């Protein structure tokens, strides 16, 4: 499949996902290249992934997974990792509260690029997508429009968060119908390190779960060029 080269004429990106580790299953490889090029990338997590470890109580899992996300982000050059308040892992809904919260953060970060995960029922490989991913992916897309409109959520303006209509692209990763690609071959090892930072989470998945290098090798493998890797996304220009 021949895809367009991902745009590079931007400076700030906001990557929005539901849980710690969502970005590490592919997007972090692209992020490594972006930060190497001097671009500013911020991660925004809707939850702390507190329900993600079956053998650990949420109160203990939340700070652990938050720190693992910060550690993983640092491997690919991201220092600013934000977490929303008031949204619980496993029961996120694409409602007005979430759209408002995301619109507020978009106004504050003022990105030219927003990335998120697909809100489709299945990922590109055909496996079922999880409810939180779908809710956040859809809300993120809607929040981009809300962030630029003064009359949507006017209370944000009252709080000092002025509209931001500068998002030029929305990139949806893990989509079954991608339009653009980033060659991440040179950044593959750092992407692996970023996922490996989620040590406790991965350990809880059991010994049969694929190693990060093997899993990312499968996710990012270029189908036409052996030994090369690419990150793909469906990109919507605005």
């Amino acid at each position: 499949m021949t895809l367009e080269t991902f745009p590079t004429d931007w400076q700030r990106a906001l990557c929005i996902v539901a849980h710690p580790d969502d970005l590490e299953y592919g997007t972090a490889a692209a992020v490594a290249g972006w930060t190497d090029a001097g671009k500013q990338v911020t991660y925004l997590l809707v939850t702390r992934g507190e329900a993600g470890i079956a053998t650990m109580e949420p109160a203990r899992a939340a700070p652990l997974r938050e720190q693992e996300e910060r550690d993983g982000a640092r491997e690919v050059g991201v220092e600013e990792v934000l977490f929303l308040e008031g949204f619980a892992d496993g029961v996120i809904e694409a409602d007005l509260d979430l759209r408002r919260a995301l619109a507020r953060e978009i106004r504050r970060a003022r990105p030219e690029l927003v990335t998120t995960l697909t809100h489709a029922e299945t990922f590109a490989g055909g496996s079922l997508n999880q409810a939180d991913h779908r809710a956040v992916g859809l809300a993120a897309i809607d929040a981009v429009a809300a962030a630029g409109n003064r009359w949507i959520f006017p209370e944000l303006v009252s709080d000092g968060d002025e509209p931001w209509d500068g998002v030029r692209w929305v990139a949806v990763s893990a989509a079954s119908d991608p339009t653009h690609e980033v060659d991440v071959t040179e950044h593959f090892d750092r992407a692996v390190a970023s996922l490996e930072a989620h040590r406790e989470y991965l350990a809880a998945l059991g010994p049969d779960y694929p190693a990060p290098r093997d899993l990312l090798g499968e996710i990012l493998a270029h189908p036409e060029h052996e030994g090369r890797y690419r990150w793909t996304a469906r990109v919507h220009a605005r």
Side-chain angles (χ1 to χ4, degrees), residues 131-143:
D132 283 356
H133 300 157
R134 302 198 312 269
V136 172
L138 182 60
I141 292 171
D142 293 339

Side-chain angles (χ1 to χ4, degrees), residues 37-100:
K39 300 184 186 302
Q40 177 184 329
V41 180
T42 299
Y43 284 1
L44 176 61
L45 291 295
V46 174
T47 78
R48 287 166 171 75
E50 65 274 8
I53 301 179
T55 57
M56 190 179 295
E57 291 289 332
R60 181 184 167 207
L64 183 149
R65 296 203 69 198
E66 178 178 338
Q67 186 58 52
E68 288 188 337
E69 180 58 36
R70 295 187 187 282
D71 293 342
R74 196 168 294 115
E75 292 287 349
V76 292
V78 176
E79 295 296 333
E80 187 168 27
V81 181
L82 308 175
F83 293 85
L84 292 182
E85 299 288 346
F87 299 94
D89 183 12
V91 292
I92 304 172
E93 295 183 291
D95 58 13
L96 291 179
D97 288 340
L98 179 58
R99 193 189 308 176
R100 181 187 299 107

